[in-house]
Amino acid sequence: MNSRNWLAIAEYVSLAGTVAGTAVAAVSQQVIYAAVPVSLSLALNLANRQRFERRTGQQTAAALTKLDRELSSLEAAKQQWSEALKAVISRLEREAEKISPSENFTHLSSEIDGLKGLQHGLEEFVARQKIQLDALREEFKTRPELEQIESLTAIIVALQQYLNQLPPRS
């Protein structure tokens, strides 16, 4: 059994112990029966939350690094294709200027138009990919685990307030 499972199981067991300890404390008027399981639950929850936050932070960093690499790769590919297409278009335009009116000028002109269309299509594709990557980045930043962390924090605060309200031990 790995550490993650052990900590999670221990936390659930300590929560059950908290319920039982609270019942025993209410009957026996001894706060210690509620305080020890609650303290143990809080400590285990803190350990689990820190482990969860560390793992989430590592996953977030890895995902953002991967997204940045992919975006850089797309930008580099776009730049290479754009430069290559511009060079071909420039060369074809220079060749077209050298052609006398009697030669087949329409063929070169249609090739230039086709290459311009390819360049435009590539630029649109890269722009769409960038929009998708930006949307994924935003979606990743608003994942539901953050709400769970806030919920667990609220529970811990409520338990602490409950402990503070218990009468002092006689």
Side-chain angles (χ1 to χ4, degrees):
M1 182 181 311
N2 63 26
S3 174
R4 183 180 78 85
N5 287 337
W6 181 86
L7 280 174
I9 291 170
E11 184 177 1
Y12 288 122
V13 169
S14 71
L15 282 173
T18 299
V19 171
T22 302
V24 170
V27 170
S28 70
Q29 301 279 327
Q30 296 291 320
V31 176
I32 191 75
Y33 292 118
V36 170
V38 168
S39 298
L40 180 61
S41 290
L42 289 173
L44 289 169
N45 179 270
L46 179 64
N48 276 335
R49 187 166 39 109
Q50 287 174 344
R51 181 189 46 79
F52 175 76
E53 288 174 355
R54 185 175 44 254
R55 188 182 72 220
T56 302
Q58 291 168 346
Q59 290 172 343
T60 301
L64 289 176
T65 300
K66 183 179 178 185
L67 284 174
D68 286 340
R69 269 188 273 138
E70 289 178 10
L71 184 58
S72 295
S73 174
L74 283 173
E75 289 291 334
K78 174 195 170 230
Q79 186 66 30
Q80 288 175 343
W81 276 95
S82 181
E83 289 173 8
L85 288 173
K86 285 178 184 176
V88 170
I89 290 170
S90 177
R91 183 181 53 83
L92 288 175
E93 286 174 340
R94 283 192 308 271
E95 288 181 19
E97 290 173 357
K98 296 177 187 176
I99 296 176
S100 67
S102 63
E103 293 184 38
N104 186 1
F105 179 66
T106 57
H107 174 67
L108 287 176
S109 179
S110 67
E111 280 188 47
I112 291 171
D113 290 341
L115 288 172
K116 285 180 180 178
L118 283 173
Q119 180 182 6
H120 179 70
L122 178 63
E123 289 171 351
E124 286 180 349
F125 172 76
V126 169
R128 284 191 308 269
Q129 292 299 315
K130 185 173 181 353
I131 289 169
Q132 286 179 346
L133 284 173
D134 289 342
L136 281 172
R137 184 176 281 140
E138 283 303 312
E139 185 178 316
F140 194 79
K141 288 179 183 176
T142 59
R143 63 196 180 281
E145 292 89 4
L146 297 175
E147 291 175 14
Q148 291 173 344
I149 291 171
E150 290 175 11
S151 174
L152 289 172
T153 302
I155 291 170
I156 290 170
V157 167
L159 283 171
Q160 187 64 43
Q161 289 173 347
Y162 175 75
L163 281 176
N164 291 339
Q165 292 174 356
L166 289 175
R169 195 170 130 189
S170 305

